[in-house]
Amino acid sequence: ELDLHGHFVPVTWNRMLVLGPLVLIGGGVIALLKAIDAVPHNFTWVLVVLAVISGLVSIADEHISLLLEAAGKMKVSAAALVVPKILVLGALVAILATGRDRTPAAVLLVSLGGGAITAVVFAAAVWHLAFWPPKFDWALLRRMLGLSLPLIMFTVSTYVVSSVDVFVLGLFRSSADVGLYAVAYRGYSVLQLVAA
């Protein structure tokens, strides 16, 4: 799209059409799990909402990083990947070191802050190339769906695999242990991304 038309605005807006139903289904599943008490009791409705918002921020963060790379803005893309991770890691270390706000909500808010930086600051670098004015391309949408369906199914399976450990741990250990595991795993994944 960038080579043919000088922008990839339809890619962004078509992707929103593809992701919209998936986000609604995913958010609905999370809310349903909470409503039927299939999640630990410490997973409050505030955390449910923060988890859904976190997913939306992650989608925006990843999309913007890919747009930056596609536009050839490799240094800005690298900064978009590394700077928020460093800020999140620093904030998590501060929380652990001071002992203040050691709550799941605080950890989620820190992660949201890092993703929001990418979504707001780095989107400006590709705003006219990728976001404005809105435009849809139905032929492109059909091609995108054809390529995306196998990946969507794979992604759903990875979500199940990556979260099942927390639920299994919750069966045998306290919610505090599960929380420590989740924070440690998040720290590991952030460090892994910074190193990459």
Side-chain angles (χ1 to χ4, degrees), residues 6 10 29 32 70 108 121 123 141-142 167 179-180 182 186:
V29 167
L32 177 65
L108 268 174
V121 174
L141 179 62
R142 283 191 297 277
F167 288 103
L180 286 173
R186 176 71 178 153

Side-chain angles (χ1 to χ4, degrees), residues 57 61 64 79-80 83-84 87-88 110-123:
V57 168
D61 182 31
I64 291 165
V83 169
L87 293 174
V88 167
V110 165
S111 297
L112 281 173
I117 287 170
T118 301
V120 172
V121 174
F122 293 102

Side-chain angles (χ1 to χ4, degrees):
E1 287 299 303
L2 185 61
D3 289 341
L4 291 174
H5 306 293
H7 63 83
F8 32 61
V9 173
V11 173
T12 295
W13 290 93
N14 284 354
R15 189 168 190 227
M16 288 183 191
L17 285 178
V18 172
L19 283 174
L22 297 174
V23 168
L24 290 173
I25 291 168
V29 167
I30 292 170
L32 177 65
L33 289 172
K34 173 61 180 163
I36 63 171
D37 287 330
V39 295
H41 64 89
N42 291 5
F43 196 67
T44 65
W45 280 107
V46 170
L47 291 179
V48 169
V49 171
L50 287 175
V52 171
I53 293 171
S54 179
L56 292 172
V57 168
S58 295
I59 290 168
D61 182 31
E62 182 251 353
H63 186 69
I64 291 165
S65 295
L66 292 174
L67 293 172
L68 290 167
E69 290 173 11
K73 299 177 183 290
M74 303 314 269
K75 291 179 184 176
V76 179
S77 174
L81 289 172
V82 173
V83 169
K85 306 301 186 244
I86 290 171
L87 293 174
V88 167
L89 183 62
L92 290 176
V93 167
I95 287 171
L96 289 174
T98 63
R100 297 182 62 213
D101 295 326
R102 293 174 77 174
T103 64
V107 172
L108 268 174
L109 285 171
V110 165
S111 297
L112 281 173
I117 287 170
T118 301
V120 172
V121 174
F122 293 102
V126 287
W127 185 254
H128 291 292
L129 279 176
F131 292 101
W132 201 258
K135 182 179 180 183
F136 298 96
D137 182 333
W138 305 114
L140 177 63
L141 179 62
R142 283 191 297 277
R143 290 193 346 252
M144 289 172 69
L145 280 172
L147 293 169
S148 297
L149 287 177
L151 295 173
I152 290 168
M153 291 184 283
F154 175 74
T155 301
V156 169
S157 71
T158 60
Y159 285 151
V160 171
V161 168
S162 67
S163 62
V164 73
D165 54 350
V166 172
F167 288 103
V168 171
L169 280 171
L171 295 174
F172 300 103
R173 303 297 296 255
S174 70
S175 59
D177 290 337
V178 173
L180 286 173
Y181 170 82
V183 169
Y185 194 82
R186 176 71 178 153
Y188 157 77
S189 64
V190 168
L191 285 173
Q192 183 184 34
L193 288 171
V194 170

